[in-house]
Amino acid sequence: MDSIKRYLKFVGPYKSKIILTIIIGLLKFGIPLLMPLFLKYVLDDIIPNETLTVDEKVHQLFLIMGIAFLIFLVLRPPIEYYRQYYAQWTASKILYDIRDQLFSHIQKLSLRYYSNTKTGEVISRVINDVEQTKSFVVTGLMNIWLDTLTIFIALAILFTLDVKLTLIAMMLFPLYGFSVKYFYGRLRQLTRVRSQALAEVQGHLHERVQGVPVIRSFALEEHEQTLFNKQNKNFLNKALAHTSWNAKTFAVVNTIADIAPLIVIAFSGYEVITGNLSIGTMVVFVSYMDKLYNPLRRLVNSSTTLTQSLASMDRMFEFIDEKYDIVDKPNAIELKEVKGNVTIENVSFQYNDEETMVLKDISLDVQPGETIALVGMSGGGKSTLVSLIPRFYDVTSGSIKLDGIDIRDFRARSLRDKIGMVLQDNILFSDSVKMNILMGNPNATDEEVIAAAKAANAHEFIMELPNGYDTKVGERGVKLSGGQKQRVAIARVFLKNPPLLILDEATSALDLESEHLIQEALDKLARNRTTFIVAHRLATITHADRIVLIEYGEIKEVGTHEELMQLEGSYYNLFKVQQLDDVPETEDGCSVR
């Protein structure tokens, strides 16, 4: 019930449209209720009426049929149209509002959440589960009321015709209600389990589609088929359990709905034979059994649909209730001007409470415009440290200050607006090159985009693409090489023009030509900005103002390249090893010294 209350908040703005739809729906469902009454009038008041001549009977028949055709041909079609239109319009608008809020929610969830949740599952909640809730609007807020009111109108008409026969027609109502309550409690749980199984299939599928190159390169097709079959089989089992219970539900409630008219036919037939009931009234009652129990059948169908809808609603709100790790303080301030002094004071960090500390008591004072290189073995905590500066995560203890103010006192978006990031694997969206660069500043002019691309050494290769800046780059930039993607990402940061810069393994895994072009662009980009560089190739950061060696989450050495080489510690050893690795070999395999 809590999910329904929360969902009704989305429905509130469209309350008047729903009421209008119900009123139109009453006309739509009410008009067919006139049909048996027309039939009764013909059977009881025209055909057997011996006081009327044949011509008078024909005249009255055509008159009553003329009225019927007027109602069904002229009035009913527009009523049918507006009933369908307003119902779907209202439901679509509500779903639009929900998805709009969900997308906003998605953008606020922490990176920690996404590291523990498959993308496909998130998409399933936003697309499938939200779409399933549409039936709550159309069925739960409209059709159920209409079917219920149709039953009451039909009963009111039947009571005016024959009270005893109406009570006979209603005698199975309690059994009907008990059956619905019994079966649908279990059905909701089964529906929720099935929806979760489907989300798991989608999550698995989304991950594997992204990893098709890996699957093919390792010839894992058969292995992956086995894994997918396991996920698919799990969903099949949950779906069949749901289907089995759903079939039992329909078997029971439809049997009850079928028996009720038979009882009415038997009793009314007896009444006609004994002379206590007219044939017209009997025919009307049997006709109204259809009008009475068809809405009941629809209510059963609606119960199935609503059960699925409520299960999806539960999953949707479960997703909405995911907490944000990064939340602005109530009195958070807007970051406007940045000098560039970054002070890291006794910072420790762990990703989860049960895990060990990734960073341990890190302290570092970075002056405006200074370039700091973070180096060390993989897993030491370098990337974790720079991810704390834009508040992708918050420190576990200690503080990070920007120009003397704790970054947690700023609004997170205004802080990130002042930081430019170039990563090892920059994500490009499947749009044009121009649109990807414009993400640095959506309001930039074409001239500014081109200037940014030139500064990033990207303009030349972009102009060689089939459609230049309008060339679509494919999902995650698949149509571009690694070096080209990096230069587009750098152009994006040039366009943003931030006072703080973070370069996380921005030149690793590239060929020498691309590395040269990118390093040249990065040097230009870092000029007059406070810059943090996470680097694996030490030869690319010898120019840094200070080099910080981090091992096992702790700062071990700090100094310029020359100072650390003279120290002959861990940095010296790493640098010497990399120099040996970079020495070219002769044709006989011997190193050239």
Side-chain angles (χ1 to χ4, degrees):
M1 291 299 117
D2 182 56
S3 292
I4 294 175
K5 286 180 183 177
R6 295 176 67 180
Y7 197 89
L8 288 175
K9 292 179 181 177
F10 290 102
V11 174
Y14 306 100
K15 190 163 52 178
S16 59
K17 279 286 192 299
I18 290 174
I19 293 171
L20 175 63
T21 306
I22 291 173
I23 292 170
I24 296 173
L26 278 176
L27 292 173
K28 174 197 166 180
F29 286 104
I31 287 173
L33 294 176
L34 298 173
M35 190 73 76
L37 295 179
F38 288 139
L39 181 60
K40 182 181 185 303
Y41 182 76
V42 171
L43 290 176
D44 284 351
D45 298 322
I46 297 178
I47 293 174
N49 194 336
E50 296 179 357
T51 62
L52 298 175
T53 65
V54 173
D55 288 342
E56 287 173 334
K57 288 180 181 181
V58 171
H59 175 73
Q60 288 200 18
L61 177 63
F62 284 160
L63 178 63
I64 197 71
M65 287 299 100
I67 294 170
F69 274 105
L70 179 69
I71 292 171
F72 282 91
L73 283 178
V74 178
L75 292 180
R76 193 153 187 250
I79 288 172
E80 182 75 40
Y81 169 80
Y82 284 110
R83 148 84 185 129
Q84 291 295 331
Y85 176 79
Y86 284 127
Q88 295 299 323
W89 183 91
T90 305
S92 297
K93 289 288 285 184
I94 291 169
L95 263 58
Y96 170 85
D97 292 345
I98 292 172
R99 288 202 178 103
D100 196 53
Q101 180 173 321
L102 282 176
F103 188 74
S104 175
H105 177 63
I106 283 170
Q107 296 192 92
K108 293 175 185 174
L109 285 170
S110 67
L111 296 184
R112 182 181 283 114
Y113 174 80
Y114 290 111
S115 66
N116 295 320
T117 309
K118 289 183 179 179
T119 306
E121 287 199 36
V122 175
I123 294 170
S124 177
R125 304 247 178 158
V126 178
I127 302 300
N128 293 347
D129 287 325
V130 172
E131 190 64 28
Q132 285 283 356
T133 67
K134 184 178 183 179
S135 59
F136 175 76
V137 180
V138 176
T139 302
L141 298 179
M142 299 177 190
N143 290 354
I144 282 182
W145 292 107
L146 292 172
D147 285 328
T148 304
L149 288 170
T150 301
I151 290 169
F152 280 114
I153 294 169
L155 286 173
I157 294 171
L158 291 178
F159 270 117
T160 62
L161 296 173
D162 192 291
V163 174
K164 186 165 60 174
L165 199 54
T166 305
L167 292 174
I168 295 293
M170 293 174 60
M171 66 185 295
L172 293 182
F173 273 23
L175 181 60
Y176 201 89
F178 172 78
S179 300
V180 169
K181 184 177 180 182
Y182 172 77
F183 281 101
Y184 282 97
R186 170 77 173 145
L187 195 61
R188 181 175 178 179
Q189 176 61 27
L190 289 172
T191 302
R192 187 171 183 178
V193 170
R194 187 189 66 169
S195 296
Q196 178 59 34
L198 178 60
E200 288 170 6
V201 172
Q202 288 180 313
H204 183 87
L205 187 60
H206 183 273
E207 198 171 58
R208 264 47 184 189
V209 168
Q210 286 188 321
V212 163
V214 176
I215 293 168
R216 287 194 178 163
S217 64
F218 284 92
L220 292 172
E221 287 87 348
E222 289 185 13
H223 172 72
E224 286 300 327
Q225 187 68 51
T226 303
L227 291 179
F228 181 75
N229 287 345
K230 183 179 178 182
Q231 293 278 355
N232 205 17
K233 185 69 179 292
N234 179 54
F235 171 65
L236 175 64
N237 292 335
K238 300 297 187 293
L240 289 178
H242 177 275
T243 300
S244 174
W245 192 259
N246 199 30
K248 289 176 186 175
T249 305
F250 275 92
V252 172
V253 296
N254 283 337
T255 298
I256 296 170
D258 290 336
I259 290 172
L262 295 177
I263 296 172
V264 169
I265 290 171
F267 186 80
S268 61
Y270 172 78
E271 291 285 277
V272 170
I273 291 170
T274 56
N276 296 320
L277 196 70
S278 70
I279 290 178
T281 303
M282 176 186 173
V283 171
V284 159
F285 257 90
V286 174
S287 298
Y288 269 113
M289 283 298 95
D290 188 47
K291 307 296 180 186
L292 190 62
Y293 276 88
N294 263 356
L296 277 176
R297 290 177 197 271
R298 285 198 297 270
L299 284 175
V300 172
N301 291 332
S302 298
S303 299
T304 305
T305 308
L306 280 178
T307 300
Q308 294 172 347
S309 179
L310 290 173
S312 292
M313 209 180 283
D314 290 341
R315 281 168 45 79
M316 185 185 85
F317 285 117
E318 183 180 75
F319 178 59
I320 286 177
D321 289 338
E322 286 289 341
K323 303 296 182 188
Y324 304 137
D325 285 352
I326 309 300
V327 180
D328 288 337
K329 292 181 178 178
N331 57 346
I333 58 177
E334 192 82 11
L335 176 58
K336 294 181 179 177
E337 297 296 326
V338 174
K339 294 175 183 175
N341 174 217
V342 178
T343 308
I344 300 170
E345 295 181 347
N346 308 112
V347 165
S348 295
F349 176 77
Q350 61 185 153
Y351 284 99
N352 293 302
D353 293 339
E354 63 274 9
E355 295 181 6
T356 56
M357 288 288 179
V358 180
L359 298 175
K360 304 164 191 173
D361 199 30
I362 298 282
S363 292
L364 192 65
D365 188 34
V366 182
Q367 296 304 308
E370 192 175 10
T371 295
I372 300 294
L374 305 175
V375 300
M377 300 296 287
S378 296
K382 307 181 297 296
S383 294
T384 298
L385 180 59
V386 294
S387 70
L388 297 177
I389 298 170
R391 287 190 71 197
F392 291 155
Y393 304 93
D394 271 339
V395 299
T396 303
S397 63
S399 67
I400 297 176
K401 294 179 180 177
L402 177 59
D403 297 336
I405 301 173
D406 194 314
I407 59 172
R408 289 169 291 191
D409 293 334
F410 297 118
R411 288 182 187 150
R413 284 185 64 183
S414 69
L415 171 67
R416 291 168 191 155
D417 189 49
K418 298 296 186 288
I419 300 172
M421 299 190 73
V422 182
L423 310 176
Q424 178 180 351
D425 183 21
N426 287 283
I427 294 175
L428 301 185
F429 295 95
S430 56
D431 211 316
S432 66
V433 174
K434 176 184 172 183
M435 290 306 297
N436 273 284
I437 296 175
L438 276 171
M439 294 192 74
N441 178 8
N443 299 316
T445 63
D446 288 350
E447 290 74 20
E448 288 170 327
V449 169
I450 292 170
K454 286 179 176 177
N457 290 333
H459 178 72
E460 189 175 326
F461 90 78
I462 293 173
M463 293 308 294
E464 292 174 356
L465 294 173
N467 298 308
Y469 282 84
D470 294 321
T471 302
K472 304 285 184 183
V473 301
E475 189 171 4
R476 298 177 68 90
V478 70
K479 294 181 181 178
L480 302 181
S481 70
Q484 289 172 335
K485 282 200 291 185
Q486 287 295 75
R487 280 178 274 169
V488 170
I490 294 168
R492 200 154 58 186
V493 179
F494 266 114
L495 195 62
K496 185 177 184 180
N497 193 26
L500 297 176
L501 189 61
I502 294 173
L503 310 175
D504 191 353
E505 300 278 14
T507 61
S508 64
L510 296 175
D511 59 84
L512 290 175
E513 183 181 354
S514 294
E515 183 180 13
H516 170 72
L517 289 168
I518 288 168
Q519 192 61 54
E520 185 181 279
L522 290 176
D523 291 344
K524 197 187 305 179
L525 183 60
R527 212 168 290 153
N528 302 321
R529 304 175 204 270
T530 302
T531 304
F532 292 85
I533 303 174
V534 175
H536 175 69
R537 290 171 56 82
L538 303 185
T540 63
I541 50 87
T542 54
H543 65 286
D545 296 308
R546 273 188 292 166
I547 298 169
V548 179
L549 178 76
I550 298 179
E551 288 182 350
Y552 305 109
E554 297 180 89
I555 293 178
K556 298 296 184 182
E557 297 175 8
V558 181
T560 63
H561 171 70
E562 291 76 16
E563 289 170 348
L564 295 182
M565 291 300 288
Q566 288 174 8
L567 189 63
E568 294 191 5
S570 297
Y571 177 82
Y572 174 87
N573 293 330
L574 274 174
F575 193 83
K576 287 297 182 183
V577 168
Q578 285 194 10
Q579 275 197 319
L580 286 173
D581 289 342
D582 290 340
V583 172
E585 293 183 345
T586 61
E587 289 184 7
D588 60 1
C590 297
S591 297
V592 177
R593 299 293 179 184

